Amino acid sequence: QELERILYNKRIKNPYYHALLADEALFKDKDKAAIKHYKQAIRLDKNIHEFYFGLAKVYYKQNRIGAARQAMMKAISVSRSPSIDSQYVAKLNLLKK
C-alpha cells in the first residue's frame, strides 16, 4: 500500500500521466474526462504543445471550432520546431474553412 501511495503521488504530478489519461478518455469517447485531463496536464506544464493539440482534437470533435482554433494557436506558440509548426498551421487552416 505504501508503494501504491508513492506511485500515485508521483503520477498525479506528472503531466504526461494526465495526457495519457486524456488520450485514453478521448479514445473511449469520454470527452469531458479528456478535457479535464488535458487541462490538468497543461496546468502542470504549459510548454508542451502536444497537450494543446490534444485539447484541440477534443474541441474539434465536439464541433467547438473556435475553442479548437484557440488551442491550436497555443500549440503553435509553445512549439519549438518549425516542422511541427507548419503541420499545426496546415491543420489550423483546415479549421478556417
Side-chain angles (χ1 to χ4, degrees):
Q1 286 179 335
E2 178 67 14
L3 182 57
E4 287 180 21
R5 185 187 64 75
I6 292 169
L7 184 59
Y8 173 80
N9 287 336
K10 292 277 187 191
R11 280 184 171 169
I12 207 72
K13 296 175 186 173
N14 183 335
Y16 293 99
Y17 176 68
H18 288 281
L20 173 67
L21 294 176
D23 291 341
E24 290 175 354
L26 180 59
F27 179 76
K28 294 177 181 177
D29 290 325
K30 297 181 177 181
D31 297 351
K32 188 176 180 180
I35 289 170
K36 179 186 103 173
H37 286 295
Y38 281 128
K39 286 184 174 184
Q40 181 61 25
I42 290 166
R43 276 191 288 278
L44 292 169
D45 191 336
K46 293 174 176 32
N47 297 311
I48 308 295
H49 63 89
E50 291 93 346
F51 302 161
Y52 296 99
F53 178 62
L55 194 57
K57 289 189 295 186
V58 181
Y59 289 146
Y60 182 78
K61 182 180 172 215
Q62 294 180 330
N63 203 33
R64 295 171 60 187
I65 304 304
R69 187 178 298 118
Q70 186 177 5
M72 287 294 294
M73 293 295 293
K74 188 64 178 175
I76 291 168
S77 76
V78 300
S79 171
R80 292 182 178 92
S81 168
S83 64
I84 290 175
D85 287 351
S86 64
Q87 291 173 12
Y88 285 154
V89 168
K91 292 173 183 179
L92 187 59
N93 287 334
L94 288 175
L95 292 178
K96 291 180 181 180
K97 295 180 181 182

